[in-house]
Amino acid sequence: MAALLKSLVEASEKSARIAQLCRQEEALFQLLIEEKTGSDKNKKFIQDFKTLADVLIQEVIKHDVGKEFPDLHGHISGEESNKFENSLGETLVVQVCATQQDTAALLYKILDRNQPAAELLAAAIHQEVTLEDPALEALVLPIPAERVAIWIDPIDSTNQYIRGQANVVPIDGICPSGLCSALVLIGVYERSSGDPILGVINEPFFQEDPFTHRWLGRYHWGVSYQGTRLSSLSQPPLRPDPSVVLSSSEKPEIQRALRPLYGERLHFASGAGYKMLCVILGLADAYVLSEGSTFKWDSCAPHAILRALGGGMVNLGAALQAWRTGQRGHLPELTYNQPVGGAVGAERWANQGGLVAFAHREHLELVMATLAAAP
Ligand code: 2IP
Ligand code: CA
């Protein structure tokens, strides 16, 4: 069912436009930041921000895709809750209304009666986005909507989205930080097995037009389902001198353990989705993360694309255990349908045990052998 893929790509394009608009309109952007509290707070940041753009984008995807595929109703989830508190202390439920006028009226209340901002956003939410992508038109994919569910990260790397610089100079193609690491991630998994089967990654801040200063985005997709593997990208080549991308907060002992394999070719970057994208694009051969600081909505879309390219994403803790006991044939990949037992809030959907993202099985084996041999 290529219609589902097309619908998700279109939803990601609309999302990217909303993300660009909120970042471009300074007055709008200032209105949009709200601190996360309680169990929804990502424990990694002292202060973690959720933006109204985040919530809006998630609701737009739910609305647009849910309208086209009623079987997906109740099976589209994301990082954000759609309750939003404005500076007057009113709690409002963010949703896409039947008409642009109604959405503008709701946003007017959420945005503390800022009419221009409400109208700008409502227009972006209700715009028609239709793609002219011959590669998508030509596809036939037998994916039944009633057997799948969706994880959305409306804007991954929220911190960089809020504070990131526009023109960070990349090191070996990888930006250590910056707006370019803010991504829209939409991943589809099979409800019964939890396997990731379809992914869309949209880069709203791929390039800035030097003349108009407008942002140009781009998107990537991949499908891996019942023997069908298709992607807008090709598998990157295996390199003789491999490199790895890590979180800047990765443990020193893991960095030391990886030195024998990578030497100086250790890169650091913000954004879990962005680091996975670096592997997808062949800018790094692996993303190794030793902690459970990513979530199902971070990894589902990139994981599906990696599988479409012949790679994958394993649970690092479980894979190391299997490796050490000699069970090396089938290292355990991440799945998306089971919450962490006993956890609450966002932690229910954490990728506990960390992860390794890879584009070549041969390279995953090198990572496993290197980490298993570390003192
Ligand atoms: C975050 C974001 C962070 C990442 C963290 C994710 O998602 O991608 O950048 O940490 O794991 O959960 P790091 O940059 O150290 O990899 P969000 O920004 O959507 O909360
Ligand atoms: Ca995220």
Side-chain angles (χ1 to χ4, degrees), residues 65 72 77 81 87 95 114 121 148 204-205 227 233 239 249 318 329 363:
V65 177
L72 285 171
S77 321
S81 121
S87 67
Q95 58 188 17
N114 180 332
L121 279 173
V148 304
F205 306 101
L233 298 161
R239 287 184 301 182
S249 62
H363 188 72

Side-chain angles (χ1 to χ4, degrees), residues 271-295:
Y274 179 72
K275 286 188 276 289
M276 293 165 189
L277 179 62
C278 288
V279 179
I280 289 169
L281 297 175
L283 299 169
D285 298 85
Y287 163 34
V288 177
L289 177 71
S290 64
E291 290 196 276
S293 51
T294 66
F295 299 88

Side-chain angles (χ1 to χ4, degrees), residues 75 77 147-151 187-197 295-297 299-300 303 333-341 348-351:
H75 295 278
S77 321
R147 292 210 202 134
V148 304
I150 298 183
W151 278 118
V188 179
Y189 64 93
E190 192 176 36
R191 287 181 207 170
S192 58
S193 64
D195 290 337
I197 56 182
F295 299 88
K296 298 302 172 197
W297 47 81
S299 56
C300 188
H303 190 175
E333 297 231 355
L334 299 180
T335 52
Y336 294 89
N337 58 349
Q338 295 288 343
V340 177
R348 293 177 72 226
W349 299 105
N351 289 317

Side-chain angles (χ1 to χ4, degrees), residues 343-370:
V344 289
E347 285 304 313
R348 293 177 72 226
W349 299 105
N351 289 317
Q352 277 198 338
L355 60 87
V356 181
F358 60 96
H360 290 270
R361 165 86 199 188
E362 297 91 312
H363 188 72
L364 171 68
E365 291 181 6
L366 286 177
V367 175
M368 285 298 131
T370 306

Side-chain angles (χ1 to χ4, degrees), residues 14-237:
K14 193 193 267 192
S15 306
R17 290 187 202 173
I18 298 171
Q20 290 163 344
L21 185 79
C22 293
R23 212 13 243 234
Q24 239 146 17
E25 299 279 330
E26 189 55 32
L28 195 57
F29 178 70
Q30 283 306 322
L31 290 170
L32 304 179
I33 43 182
E34 187 201 20
E35 202 173 333
K36 277 190 181 177
T37 54
S39 56
D40 278 347
K41 186 167 169 163
N42 181 344
K43 62 183 176 192
K44 212 157 199 187
F45 300 118
I46 302 163
Q47 277 193 318
D48 190 12
F49 291 102
K50 151 171 95 172
T51 64
L52 175 62
D54 249 341
V55 183
L56 267 181
I57 288 171
Q58 187 169 305
E59 289 309 305
V60 165
I61 298 172
K62 269 193 192 167
H63 174 265
D64 288 12
V65 177
K67 200 162 102 185
E68 224 179 309
F69 300 94
D71 283 330
L72 285 171
H73 191 78
H75 295 278
I76 307 179
S77 321
E79 177 172 16
E80 307 296 348
S81 121
N82 63 346
K83 291 199 181 61
F84 191 85
E85 195 179 317
N86 67 10
S87 67
L88 301 176
E90 300 165 329
T91 301
L92 297 148
V93 175
V94 179
Q95 58 188 17
V96 178
C97 303
T99 67
Q100 182 174 328
Q101 239 180 353
D102 291 349
T103 302
L106 174 66
L107 289 170
Y108 176 74
K109 283 192 231 156
I110 294 170
L111 294 170
D112 296 343
R113 287 131 187 98
N114 180 332
Q115 192 151 9
E119 278 177 6
L120 260 165
L121 279 173
I125 290 166
H126 286 270
Q127 71 186 303
E128 277 288 320
V129 177
T130 31
L131 285 177
E132 305 282 324
D133 187 334
L136 283 181
E137 300 297 339
L139 280 181
V140 181
L141 291 171
I143 299 179
E146 68 276 10
R147 292 210 202 134
V148 304
I150 298 183
W151 278 118
I152 307 166
D153 192 341
I155 299 175
D156 184 43
S157 208
T158 321
N159 244 21
Q160 294 301 314
Y161 176 61
I162 294 170
R163 295 176 221 290
Q165 299 293 310
N167 295 307
V168 173
V169 180
I171 302 170
D172 292 337
I174 298 175
C175 288
S177 63
L179 202 41
C180 63
S181 66
L183 306 177
V184 179
L185 309 171
I186 308 177
V188 179
Y189 64 93
E190 192 176 36
R191 287 181 207 170
S192 58
S193 64
D195 290 337
I197 56 182
L198 193 162
V200 176
I201 299 182
N202 202 308
E203 301 182 64
F205 306 101
F206 173 56
Q207 265 172 7
E208 193 181 14
D209 185 306
F211 303 106
T212 62
H213 292 287
R214 293 184 74 82
W215 284 102
L216 301 172
R218 64 174 181 174
Y219 60 81
H220 317 283
W221 55 265
V223 178
S224 165
Y225 186 59
Q226 293 184 335
T228 302
R229 282 180 180 179
L230 292 165
S231 177
S232 57
L233 298 161
S234 322
Q235 186 180 35

